Structures are given as structure tokens and as C-alpha cells.
């Protein structure tokens, strides 16, 4: 190992370069790092571990399983993209590895504007809005700010032409908002562009457009939740304003200064005092604006154009269809091969009793011929050829398979039918014997049951007799489907009759005898009788009331 590390000494020295760059970008010192976790295949090399540990002055940790972490992340991302899974909202914030700048031509000669929209390690995905003042269409060029640090042969990303830009009616420059974005994959794009057009209206009118209040000594007031970066070009007289969109305000905290609009709100009390002294002011027109979407023509470097991309997509669709047809052709061929092998084995096994000797020899010969055809002439045939070949085989094989299945199912179904017939016949006999369980059933209904049982018994006896005359290699006289139909017919007629519930008999209500006695006494007794029940003046109760308590009155 020592000899090998001496040979690789020049390569191992390169390890310190990214480490120094890392500390420079994070603006940290080695002493500020408390722990070091390394991942990646090369970190398994002992010499690499030693170099990293020596750089930081502490032992490195390798507790993170990078393969497992990647597999889990891929599985989660697939679940997020798939409509078949429902997962919690999960946002990924990545970093832009290479700074990206924008270059634009100004209306003055030989002057250009440049702005770095996304710095190194800027959060991604992220969007920013750039505001331009133009009288006509203009071009934006995106490129990597540090060409030497980009591992690509070309540092330019592409050119974007903002079209359909026109001056205002008064000849002034129009305000154009351009939205640039780096998506989750780190791909830069100019996503949208819109031109702000003023619309004059009275205060009483209701116009559902964005409102901007402008004055002679103030620039347009932007939303306080957006971070504004002003750039002025004195030679060109143009102004560029960069602001993050409201969706990513967590990355750009709002300014701590209050909006200038609040400073212009007058005191309410002072205003009320002045209103009485001054005449009413005329209504001032408000300047409202609306956003007009603008088309963007993108000329990308190292990326496919729209026409070429659509052609490749169409070609890919044709290839997918061709693969689908090839798969269907192979499936049809495999179905024929599988049928040949499966039936050839069963003809010498469970199906042997269900085919006569003549048909057995003919079918076996056909299977052998089909097998040879598959590996010679039929090696590369169309799908329909295999489908037709399988149909020809099934014309001979399906009757044999059907006889085998019928012989297996028929005894079970006949036995089940016999049990049901015996069950309904027993209930009919108990009804004739006046059994209390069935005495409530109407006699006409029970006669229907007896008739149905008699007819099914006769049909069953005839079917069993006819089937007994058939051999196993002949088509059955009665099929399982016919037995199932008879069983269903029997149950539909008999079951509702024999399961009729007994009619409910209303039991007489129990009345309270004490209440009846009280009611009777109340009706029979007159006023004189009632007064005789009252206690006498000497405090003694009536002798007939033996259940009352004597009360002595002093």
C-alpha cells in the first residue's frame, strides 16, 4: 500500500483543492468545524480518509450509508411523481453550483447591462422577477459568470428575445417584468414576461387589475415583501430592477423599513378638521395597470430546438409502439409454445381417459408438428399467424379439456342438488303432518314446492341415466351449467315459501288492577261517600282504611 500511495501521491494532493474551496465558500475556519462526515466511493480509500482527517485535524465519520440514502430519496421522489401514491408535502432545497448572470443591450450605443441573478450556492428551486423599461423588443443573454469554473466547453446558456414590447401611448418606455427561474434540476430558464399597461379610471369604477400609485418625485412602489435590487445606468438612461417573487419569500426576508405608502397617510383627525374649512376636492383619476403576457423566443446553447425535439419525441413514440407490437408478437408465440408443452404432458396424464385413441394420435402428431414449426419456419412470423395457430390447436384441445372439467364438477353439483331436493321434500312432509313450524304456510304455496321438487327429481334421474350411458371420451349428456341452472331454479321457487316467518300474535296488554279499582271507586262514590273517607275531627281515621297510619292531633 505504501508503494502504491507513493505512485498516487500527485493524485492524492488534489484532495486539498476542493477542501480549500469549500472552506472559502462557507467562510469558515477549520477550528469552526465540529464534525466531519464523508460519503462517496472514493472515501473508502484509506489514503483519502487520512488526507481529509489531516486537513480538518480530527477523525472523520463514515456512519452515513450513502447508497441507502440515495435509494430512499429516489423512492420518495418516485412516490411524489406517481399519481398512485399519496405522500406528505416534501420540498427539496438544493444549491446552484455555478453563478448565473444575465446580459442585455441598452438603447444607447456600445453599452450593455450585466447582472448576476443567481450567485454561487444560491437556493434552488428559485424564481426572480426583473423589471426593465423599454420601447421595443429586447434580448437577454444568460451565461455562467465564471467560465473557467464550469466543467462545460461553453459558458453560454442561451439567448431570450422578449417580443411584442411597445412604447406607451404618450411615448414613454413601457415597464416589462421578466421572470427567471432555476428549477429543481438546476436548469435555468426565462419562464414568463409581461408588459405593464396603465389604465385610467375613476375611483367609483371597479377594475380588477393591479393598482400602482405614482407621483412625479417617486418611483413605482413595489410590494414590501419583495427584495428590490436597483441598478442604474447613467449613460443609457435605463433602469433594471430585480426582485424575488412572492413564492420564495422565505429565502429573501422582507425589508424592515415600512413601505413609503404608509408615510403618505395623513392624520385622520387633522383631515376631519380641514374638511369643514375647505371646499370638496375634485375626484382625481387613479392610474391602474394590467399585465399583458409577452411571447419569448428562446435560442438555447447545447439544447435541442423545438422542431428537432418534437421530431425526436415523435420518433420515440414510434419506437415505443414498435416495442409494444414486438412484445405482443412474442407473447403470442410464447402462448403457442406453452400450449403445446402443457397439452402434450396432460395427454399422457389426466386427459388420457377423456380422448379416444384415434383423436389422441392425431392431436399428438399436430402438437409435434407445431413444435417443429415454431423453431424452424415459424421462428419470426407475425402476431396473427401465431394467434391463428393457437386457435387451430384449441379446436381439438378445448373439447378434451371441457370433458375433464365436467367430469370433475358434475358429481359435486349433482350431490348438492340431491341434498336440496331432500331438504325441500322433508319440509313438505312435515307440512302435511301439521308440524307447528310450517302450519302457517299457505297450502297452495306448499303445493308449488312439491310440484317443483317432483319435476327436478324427474329431470335429475333422466340426466343421471343419460350420463351413465356415455363414456369419458364422449361429450357429456348433461353439463355443469345445466345442473347449476336447475339448482338456482329450485332455490328461487322453494326457498321463499319454506322460509316464511310465522305471523306475529298481539299479546293482551296487562292492566294495573289497582288503577282499575281506584277508577271504579272514583266513579261509584259520591260527594257524601268521599267525605266519609276523610279523618274525623277527633283525629281518628275511618275504620275501613286499615292501611293508613293513625295521626293524633293535640
Amino acid at each position: 500500500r505504501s508503494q502504491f500511495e507513493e505512485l498516487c501521491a500527485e493524485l492524492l494532493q488534489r484532495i486539498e483543492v476542493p477542501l480549500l474551496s469549500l472552506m472559502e465558500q462557507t467562510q469558515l475556519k477549520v477550528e469552526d468545524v465540529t464534525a466531519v462526515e464523508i460519503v462517496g466511493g472514493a472515501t473508502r480509500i484509506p489514503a483519502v480518509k487520512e488526507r481529509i482527517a489531516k486537513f480538518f485535524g480530527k477523525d472523520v465519520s463514515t456512519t452515513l450509508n450513502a447508497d441507502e440514502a440515495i435509494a430512499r430519496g429516489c423512492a420518495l421522489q418516485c412516490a411524489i411523481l406517481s399519481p398512485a401514491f399519496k405522500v406528505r408535502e416534501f420540498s427539496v432545497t438544493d444549491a446552484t453550483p455555478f453563478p448565473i448572470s444575465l446580459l442585455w443591450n441598452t438603447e444607447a450605443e456600445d453599452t450593455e447591462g450585466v447582472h448576476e441573478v443567481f450567485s454561487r450556492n444560491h437556493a434552488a428551486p428559485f424564481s426572480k422577477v426583473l423589471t426593465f423599461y423599454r420601447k421595443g423588443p429586447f434580448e437577454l443573454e444568460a451565461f455562467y459568470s465564471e467560465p473557467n469554473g464550469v466543467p462545460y466547453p461553453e459558458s453560454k446558456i442561451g439567448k431570450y428575445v422578449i417580443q411584442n414590447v411597445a412604447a406607451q401611448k404618450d411615448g414613454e418606455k413601457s415597464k416589462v417584468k421578466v421572470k427567471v427561474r432555476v428549477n429543481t434540476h438546476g436548469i435555468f430558464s426565462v419562464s414568463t414576461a409581461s408588459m405593464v399597461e396603465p389604465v385610467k379610471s375613476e375611483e367609483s369604477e371597479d377594475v380588477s387589475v393591479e393598482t400602482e400609485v405614482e407621483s412625479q418625485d417617486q418611483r413605482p412602489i413595489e410590494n414590501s415583501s419583495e427584495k428590490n435590487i436597483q441598478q442604474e445606468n447613467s449613460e443609457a438612461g435605463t433602469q433594471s430592477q430585480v426582485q424575488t417573487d412572492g413564492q420564495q419569500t422565505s429565502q429573501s426576508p422582507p425589508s424592515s423599513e415600512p413601505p413609503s405608502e404608509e408615510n403618505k397617510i395623513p392624520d385622520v383627525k387633522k383631515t376631519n378638521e380641514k374638511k369643514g374649512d375647505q371646499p370638496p376636492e375634485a375626484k382625481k383619476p387613479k392610474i391602474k395597470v394590467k399585465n399583458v403576457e409577452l411571447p419569448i423566443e428562446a435560442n438555447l446553447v447545447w439544447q435541442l430546438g423545438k422542431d428537432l425535439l418534437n421530431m425526436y419525441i415523435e420518433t420515440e413514440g414510434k419506437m415505443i409502439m414498435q416495442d409494444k407490437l414486438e412484445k405482443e408478437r412474442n407473447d403470442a408465440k410464447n402462448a403457442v409454445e406453452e400450449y403445446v408443452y402443457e397439452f402434450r404432458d396432460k395427454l399422457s396424464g389426466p386427459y388420457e381417459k377423456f380422448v379416444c385413441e384415434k383423436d389422441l394420435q392425431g392431436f399428438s402428431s399436430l402438437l409435434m408438428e407445431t413444435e417443429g414449426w415454431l423453431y424452424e419456419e415459424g421462428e419470426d412470423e407475425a402476431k396473427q399467424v401465431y394467434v391463428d395457430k393457437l386457435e387451430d390447436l384449441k379446436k381439438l384441445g378445448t373439447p378434451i379439456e371441457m370433458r375433464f372439467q365436467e367430469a370433475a364438477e358434475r358429481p359435486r353439483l349433482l350431490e348438492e342438488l340431491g341434498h336440496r331436493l331432500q331438504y325441500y321434500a322433508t319440509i313438505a312432509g312435515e307440512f302435511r303432518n301439521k308440524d307447528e313450524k310450517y302450519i302457517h304456510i299457505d297450502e297452495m304455496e306448499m303445493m308449488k314446492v312439491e310440484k317443483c321438487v317432483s319435476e327436478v327429481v324427474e329431470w335429475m334421474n333422466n340426466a343421471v341415466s343419460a350420463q351413465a350411458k356415455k363414456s369419458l371420451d364422449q361429450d357429456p349428456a348433461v353439463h355443469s351449467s345445466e345442473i347449476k341452472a336447475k339448482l338456482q331454479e329450485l332455490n328461487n321457487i322453494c326457498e321463499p315459501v319454506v322460509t316464511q316467518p310465522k305471523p306475529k300474535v298481539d299479546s293482551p296488554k296487562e292492566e294495573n288492577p289497582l288503577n282499575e279499582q281506584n277508577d271504579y271507586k272514583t266513579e261509584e262514590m259520591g260527594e257524601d261517600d268521599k267525605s266519609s273517607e276523610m279523618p274525623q275531627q277527633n283525629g281518628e281515621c275511618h275504620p275501613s282504611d286499615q292501611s293508613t297510619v293513625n295521626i293524633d292531633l293535640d
Side-chain angles (χ1 to χ4, degrees):
R1 179 191 295 179
S2 60
Q3 184 181 359
F4 183 71
E5 289 179 359
E6 290 178 4
L7 296 174
C8 301
E10 184 179 353
L11 297 175
L12 294 174
Q13 289 177 359
R14 300 182 186 179
I15 297 175
E16 295 184 3
V17 177
L19 296 177
L20 292 172
S21 176
L22 171 66
M23 302 308 294
E24 181 181 354
Q25 293 178 36
T26 56
Q27 298 180 355
L28 294 174
K29 298 180 181 179
V30 176
E31 295 79 13
D32 300 332
V33 179
T34 57
V36 180
E37 180 80 25
I38 58 175
V39 293
T43 58
R44 297 185 176 94
I45 303 173
V48 174
K49 288 183 180 180
E50 293 175 3
R51 296 263 178 172
I52 298 176
K54 183 178 179 181
F55 179 84
F56 287 101
K58 52 178 62 66
D59 294 335
V60 295
S61 175
T62 57
T63 57
L64 179 63
N65 188 336
D67 296 334
E68 181 182 354
I70 293 172
R72 288 178 179 269
C74 291
L76 178 61
Q77 190 65 26
C78 290
I80 293 172
L81 296 175
S82 173
F85 294 90
K86 186 177 180 181
V87 296
R88 295 181 181 177
E89 293 185 5
F90 188 85
S91 62
V92 178
T93 301
D94 208 336
T96 306
F98 311 109
I100 300 174
S101 296
L102 274 182
L103 173 69
W104 60 87
N105 294 325
T106 61
E107 296 180 357
E109 296 181 357
D110 301 331
T111 57
E112 293 180 340
V114 182
H115 178 71
E116 187 175 271
V117 286
F118 295 103
S119 59
R120 184 186 297 274
N121 296 327
H122 193 286
F126 207 87
S127 298
K128 289 186 178 182
V129 175
L130 289 78
T131 302
F132 297 89
Y133 293 87
R134 290 290 188 274
K135 290 184 178 180
F138 60 99
E139 183 181 83
L140 298 174
E141 181 179 348
F143 61 94
Y144 291 105
S145 306
E146 301 176 2
N148 297 330
V150 180
Y152 306 121
E154 179 63 61
S155 63
K156 294 180 181 179
I157 299 174
K159 294 182 180 181
Y160 305 86
V161 180
I162 313 301
Q163 300 176 341
N164 296 354
V165 180
Q168 298 183 14
K169 294 180 180 180
D170 56 0
E172 294 294 328
K173 298 176 182 178
S174 297
K175 182 178 180 181
V176 181
K177 291 186 176 182
V178 180
K179 184 176 182 180
V180 296
R181 178 170 178 79
V182 173
N183 62 13
T184 54
H185 311 293
I187 298 176
F188 174 86
S189 64
V190 177
S191 55
T192 60
S194 60
M195 183 171 59
V196 180
E197 290 186 353
V199 179
K200 291 186 179 181
S201 61
E202 297 292 332
E203 288 183 358
S204 58
E205 295 181 1
D206 184 13
V207 183
S208 59
V209 292
E210 180 184 355
T211 305
E212 281 197 5
V213 182
E214 294 187 359
S215 61
Q216 296 180 356
D217 57 344
Q218 283 189 331
R219 287 190 296 269
I221 299 173
E222 299 294 336
N223 192 338
S224 62
S225 66
E226 298 175 339
K227 180 180 178 182
N228 300 330
I229 305 172
Q230 300 289 343
Q231 280 194 344
E232 294 184 358
N233 192 322
S234 58
E235 297 180 3
T238 60
Q239 185 181 24
S240 168
Q241 185 181 48
V242 182
Q243 58 192 25
T244 62
D245 61 351
Q247 297 177 355
Q248 298 287 352
T249 53
S250 61
Q251 300 294 336
S252 301
S255 175
S256 59
E257 297 180 3
S260 59
E261 205 171 12
E262 296 180 1
N263 300 332
K264 300 196 302 181
I265 300 175
D267 186 78
V268 179
K269 293 182 180 179
K270 293 181 180 180
T271 305
N272 294 335
E273 292 176 1
K274 292 180 180 180
K275 278 185 178 180
D277 301 336
Q278 296 179 356
E281 295 181 359
K283 291 183 178 179
K284 293 183 178 180
K286 265 191 177 181
I287 298 178
K288 297 191 176 182
V289 297
K290 64 178 180 179
N291 292 326
V292 180
E293 295 295 326
L294 301 176
I296 303 173
E297 179 185 350
N299 300 313
L300 305 174
V301 180
W302 295 100
Q303 295 188 28
L304 299 177
K306 267 189 176 180
D307 297 337
L308 189 59
L309 184 62
N310 291 335
M311 186 191 71
Y312 285 154
I313 292 174
E314 184 179 354
T315 305
E316 183 187 15
K318 292 179 181 178
M319 295 171 66
I320 292 174
M321 183 58 64
Q322 185 178 357
D323 291 343
K324 181 181 178 182
L325 295 176
E326 182 64 19
K327 181 180 181 301
E328 292 177 355
R329 190 189 72 85
N330 287 329
D331 291 344
K333 179 182 177 182
N334 293 335
V336 176
E337 186 178 20
E338 182 181 355
Y339 192 85
V340 169
Y341 289 145
E342 181 182 2
F343 232 94
R344 193 169 58 184
D345 293 339
K346 288 184 177 180
L347 283 177
S348 58
Y351 291 174
E352 186 177 5
K353 299 178 182 179
F354 300 93
V355 57
C356 64
E357 187 66 24
K358 181 180 178 180
D359 294 340
L360 178 61
Q361 292 179 358
F363 193 29
S364 298
S365 300
L366 181 60
L367 292 175
M368 293 292 291
E369 292 176 3
T370 305
E371 182 184 5
W373 174 83
L374 281 174
Y375 297 112
E376 294 177 1
E377 298 175 4
E379 179 69 25
D380 191 17
E381 293 290 339
K383 171 188 172 183
Q384 191 60 39
V385 176
Y386 296 118
V387 172
D388 295 340
K389 185 67 69 173
L390 183 61
E391 289 296 327
D392 294 339
L393 293 175
K394 285 186 175 181
K395 288 179 182 178
L396 298 176
T398 301
I400 301 173
E401 189 176 7
M402 182 267 295
R403 290 194 287 268
F404 172 78
Q405 294 175 352
E406 288 289 333
E409 293 183 6
R410 188 170 52 249
R412 179 182 60 82
L413 292 173
L414 288 174
E415 183 180 2
E416 183 179 355
L417 180 60
H419 288 163
R420 297 305 294 177
L421 288 171
Q422 185 178 2
Y423 170 70
Y424 292 128
T426 302
I427 293 178
E430 292 179 354
F431 173 80
R432 295 302 176 189
N433 295 332
K434 306 296 182 181
D435 195 318
E436 293 183 359
K437 292 188 294 182
Y438 307 106
I439 196 66
H440 61 282
I441 300 176
D442 185 53
E443 186 174 358
M444 296 299 296
E445 296 288 333
M446 189 57 70
M447 288 177 64
K448 292 181 181 179
V449 173
E450 293 175 344
K451 181 181 177 181
C452 181
V453 170
S454 176
E455 292 177 352
V456 175
V457 167
E458 183 180 358
W459 176 88
M460 181 177 174
N461 292 333
N462 293 335
V464 171
S465 299
Q467 182 60 39
K469 299 177 182 179
K470 296 281 186 179
S471 61
L472 293 177
D473 58 358
Q474 294 179 331
D475 291 338
V478 58
H479 294 81
S480 301
S481 58
E482 297 176 340
I483 303 175
K484 290 180 181 179
K486 279 295 178 183
L487 182 59
Q488 184 67 32
E489 179 185 353
L490 178 68
N491 289 330
N492 291 341
I493 295 175
C494 301
E495 193 67 18
V497 176
V498 301
T499 57
Q500 289 182 14
K502 288 185 178 181
K504 293 183 179 180
V505 180
D506 296 336
S507 58
K509 295 182 179 180
E510 296 182 358
E511 298 180 356
N512 192 340
L514 182 60
N515 292 340
E516 293 179 357
Q517 183 179 3
N518 292 341
D519 294 341
Y520 175 78
K521 287 184 177 180
T522 303
E523 293 176 0
E524 295 295 331
M525 286 170 22
E527 293 294 333
D528 297 339
D529 296 331
K530 290 179 181 180
S531 61
S532 63
E533 288 280 327
M534 298 298 292
Q536 302 297 325
Q537 294 293 332
N538 59 0
E540 294 182 0
C541 294
H542 195 273
S544 63
D545 191 3
Q546 298 297 332
S547 62
T548 58
V549 179
N550 295 329
I551 302 175
D552 297 329
L553 300 175
D554 295 336

